[in-house]
Amino acid sequence: MQENNMKYDSQYYILRENHESGAYMLGQDEDSDEGLENLMSLRSIKRRVFGPGIVEVLEGDSRRFTPCDYHETAEQLVSEKFKHVLLPFNLPGVEFYQTNIICDDSIWKGHYYMHIWNHHRAIHRRRSNILIP
């Protein structure tokens, strides 16, 4: 039993916004599926989503924009690569909502909003070093 509890002790993930993306603000595009507005819901939204969400660059130099693995928005916007890191954990109450990013004439389709409608303790307080700035 102890082995299972320690399974992830040697794995660390730091979730941090790419410094390149900090100069941009992303927001819902008028052509987006309405399901994007339900991401703050405290329950599953799978039945409310009929197509992809669409976000666009609202602020920043759109000529230099390149999406990264994690964007800090009202919800967490992650790349497909980052989604595949999380999937093996089988996190209950976490859904991935396919969202395209548009910027001028470019479209990036491999991104997802994480809809988290269940709260989990993710840090073992006795076995972790926690620094709160």
Side-chain angles (χ1 to χ4, degrees):
M1 185 82 167
Q2 185 70 5
E3 256 180 54
N4 288 340
N5 290 338
M6 309 282 269
K7 180 176 179 181
Y8 299 109
D9 281 1
S10 63
Q11 299 180 22
Y12 294 90
Y13 297 92
I14 298 176
L15 183 62
R16 171 174 20 201
E17 186 173 21
N18 181 311
H19 73 282
E20 299 282 326
S21 67
Y24 300 95
M25 180 184 281
L26 302 178
Q28 183 173 351
D29 183 77
E30 62 184 36
D31 295 328
S32 180
D33 182 273
E34 292 179 11
L36 189 60
E37 295 175 355
N38 295 313
L39 286 179
M40 298 301 281
S41 173
L42 294 177
R43 61 187 176 279
S44 175
I45 63 165
K46 287 185 177 183
R47 294 182 184 172
R48 297 181 176 189
V49 175
F50 302 105
I54 302 173
V55 295
E56 61 182 330
V57 176
L58 300 176
E59 292 182 17
D61 184 354
S62 62
R63 293 169 294 152
R64 298 187 59 186
F65 175 78
T66 302
C68 58
D69 288 334
Y70 174 76
H71 288 276
E72 180 68 41
T73 62
E75 294 284 331
Q76 314 315 308
L77 183 63
V78 299
S79 68
E80 189 160 11
K81 174 183 171 185
F82 194 81
K83 174 188 167 189
H84 288 294
V85 168
L86 296 175
L87 285 177
F89 292 99
N90 296 315
L91 300 169
V94 176
E95 299 169 338
F96 292 94
Y97 176 41
Q98 202 258 312
T99 302
N100 299 334
I101 301 174
I102 62 170
C103 181
D104 297 330
D105 294 329
S106 299
I107 300 174
W108 291 274
K109 294 186 177 185
H111 286 79
Y112 297 83
Y113 269 116
M114 287 193 325
H115 174 51
I116 303 170
W117 52 278
N118 197 352
H119 299 280
H120 305 277
R121 288 187 176 163
I123 298 173
H124 193 292
R125 293 193 175 269
R126 288 194 310 267
R127 294 195 326 238
S128 302
N129 292 323
I130 303 170
L131 300 175
I132 300 173

